[in-house]
Amino acid sequence: MSKYKILCIALVVLAALAVTWAITRFERQETPRSAAAKKTAPAAHEKEQEPVAKDSANASAPIDLKIRLFEKKPDFGTLTEVENVMARELSDVGLQQRYKILAQWQQILVPKISHLDPGQRKLLTLYEQNQNTAYLDNESNADRQKRLAISLMASLNPSQKVLYKELLLHEIEIIEEEETGPVFHLKPSYWKKLFAPHFPEADQKFWEQTALENDPVVDYDAGLAIDRQTLGDWAFCWEQYLKRYPNSHYQQQARNNYRTYMSYLLTGLENTPTLDSETKNIAPEVETDFDAISKRHPDSRVAKNISLFRKKLKDLPGKETDLYNLANSVIKI
């Protein structure tokens, strides 16, 4: 073999060794870079979740936009727009955010229900002119409100009837407030229809009972506007609610409702007293109500409260007593 061929082979071998060395060095340098890249780069599932989290965070944006629009332009048109967007978007909003939206919308809407149309003031005047302030025999406050609403509708002209029906469509009614007169009132059924379907079972039950009671006026003209047996039934409903849903979002409000109804049930008022003015014992008609409630809800906390209240009164025969403090000392939940 000539010296020239030997030289060429040596050069080829050296070149191959140089290439191999270069490749090895490059791979050693790239390995730590790749590891670092894997540490800092988000996982595939994290990348997929980013748009979802972003959408969830922005889900309330359309609702906020419509609420702000209503603040600037409170009328039936923008009110309907808010209600429609809530019906579409609330299910995509987190539960805690739904509670915040409800509180926000209550704070904004309630003060404006009297200012949705220029003709609303005239409706209040007509309501006052057409009402019969006297209660009919055995007529409840709710029945009276229905009677006055029918009387009002019959007195309206066609355009006023359209306006009144629009109010009713949004659960806005006219009620009589003591020492104030006729006012517009947003019924709790509004919140039941708009929000309850998007809330847990406990909240749905809360709004069902609240809508049934319809913000009752218990104390009217120094007397009970709700009969005692109804108060007992409502107190029992809240007692059962608290037992079934002890950690609900509305537990404190339910507790307050229970204590309020029990207090009125036991103490009565000046024109519907619990005690006979002469004997200082429980009036016969009140005893009848107490018996009926206890029989309808045996072994309930309501029945036990009534029993304890009766017992304490018997221990104070003929004595003047502070019924309010006595009642609240026996009310337990």
Side-chain angles (χ1 to χ4, degrees):
M1 183 180 294
S2 65
K3 292 181 178 180
Y4 176 76
K5 288 182 178 181
I6 294 172
L7 180 60
C8 288
I9 292 172
L11 290 173
V12 170
V13 171
L14 289 173
L17 291 173
V19 170
T20 301
W21 175 81
I23 292 174
T24 302
R25 183 180 180 187
F26 177 80
E27 289 177 346
R28 289 176 179 174
Q29 291 175 341
E30 281 299 299
T31 298
R33 291 181 186 176
S34 299
K38 289 179 181 178
K39 288 181 180 179
T40 57
H45 72 277
E46 292 175 340
K47 289 182 178 179
E48 292 174 357
Q49 288 179 348
E50 284 176 2
V52 176
K54 183 178 180 181
D55 290 344
S56 178
N58 294 330
S60 63
I63 298 175
D64 294 336
L65 184 64
K66 291 298 182 182
I67 289 177
R68 287 197 296 271
L69 176 62
F70 180 82
E71 283 188 280
K72 296 177 181 178
K73 187 185 177 186
D75 58 24
F76 286 116
T78 50
L79 174 58
T80 300
E81 288 183 30
V82 173
E83 294 165 355
N84 288 341
V85 75
M86 285 188 181
R88 292 195 308 269
E89 305 292 339
L90 273 175
S91 59
D92 294 327
V93 177
L95 180 59
Q96 294 306 315
Q97 185 64 17
R98 292 176 210 175
Y99 291 133
K100 291 180 181 179
I101 292 173
L102 170 57
Q104 176 191 14
W105 187 224
Q106 285 177 320
Q107 186 176 14
I108 291 171
L109 175 60
V110 173
K112 298 185 185 299
I113 62 171
S114 301
H115 312 288
L116 298 171
D117 186 277
Q120 284 184 250
R121 176 56 56 184
K122 181 62 176 178
L123 292 183
L124 295 181
T125 302
L126 292 172
Y127 180 94
E128 192 166 25
Q129 291 173 352
N130 283 276
Q131 71 171 325
N132 179 359
T133 55
Y135 279 85
L136 301 179
D137 290 342
N138 300 318
E139 183 182 38
S140 69
N141 189 61
D143 289 339
R144 180 171 180 270
Q145 293 299 331
K146 291 177 183 178
R147 174 167 58 84
L148 296 180
I150 294 172
S151 175
L152 173 63
M153 180 63 80
S155 69
L156 302 180
N157 64 38
S159 63
Q160 290 170 338
K161 286 183 179 179
V162 171
L163 172 57
Y164 189 51
K165 289 178 180 178
E166 186 75 21
L167 288 164
L168 295 178
L169 181 65
H170 296 280
E171 304 295 333
I172 300 171
E173 63 180 351
I174 300 175
I175 64 172
E176 178 97 3
E177 282 192 354
E178 192 173 13
E179 300 182 1
T180 299
V183 297
F184 290 103
H185 168 250
L186 184 63
K187 298 191 288 186
S189 53
Y190 179 86
W191 309 108
K192 172 191 169 185
K193 290 180 180 179
L194 192 58
F195 282 88
H198 305 283
F199 282 159
E201 178 184 304
D203 300 342
Q204 293 179 28
K205 296 298 183 183
F206 172 86
W207 283 112
E208 285 177 10
Q209 182 62 27
T210 302
L212 173 67
E213 296 170 13
N214 193 28
D215 295 333
V217 178
V218 181
D219 181 348
Y220 194 91
D221 193 23
L224 292 177
I226 308 294
D227 65 87
R228 278 185 170 85
Q229 292 192 36
T230 298
L231 289 174
D233 291 341
W234 288 355
F236 176 75
C237 285
W238 291 118
E239 174 188 330
Q240 295 301 108
Y241 177 87
L242 289 165
K243 286 181 179 179
R244 186 171 183 180
Y245 309 107
N247 300 312
S248 74
H249 179 76
Y250 293 106
Q251 64 166 309
Q252 188 55 53
Q253 194 166 340
R255 192 177 299 275
N256 292 342
N257 291 343
Y258 171 84
R259 294 193 64 86
T260 296
Y261 295 149
M262 282 302 309
S263 181
Y264 276 113
L265 167 64
L266 297 178
T267 63
L269 289 166
E270 182 180 353
N271 293 333
T272 51
T274 296
L275 302 184
D276 182 278
S277 59
E278 295 183 359
T279 66
K280 304 302 179 183
N281 295 323
I282 297 176
E285 64 273 17
V286 177
E287 290 279 21
T288 299
D289 287 338
F290 284 171
D291 288 339
I293 294 168
S294 299
K295 183 177 180 179
R296 192 152 56 235
H297 308 297
D299 300 322
S300 67
R301 179 57 65 180
V302 170
K304 292 175 181 177
N305 288 339
I306 291 174
S307 177
L308 184 57
F309 180 74
R310 282 169 148 171
K311 182 179 182 302
K312 288 205 171 189
L313 279 176
K314 286 182 178 179
D315 293 339
L316 300 168
K319 295 182 180 179
E320 292 291 338
T321 183
D322 186 336
L323 281 187
Y324 179 80
N325 286 332
L326 178 63
N328 281 278
S329 71
V330 304
I331 295 174
K332 306 296 181 182
I333 183 61

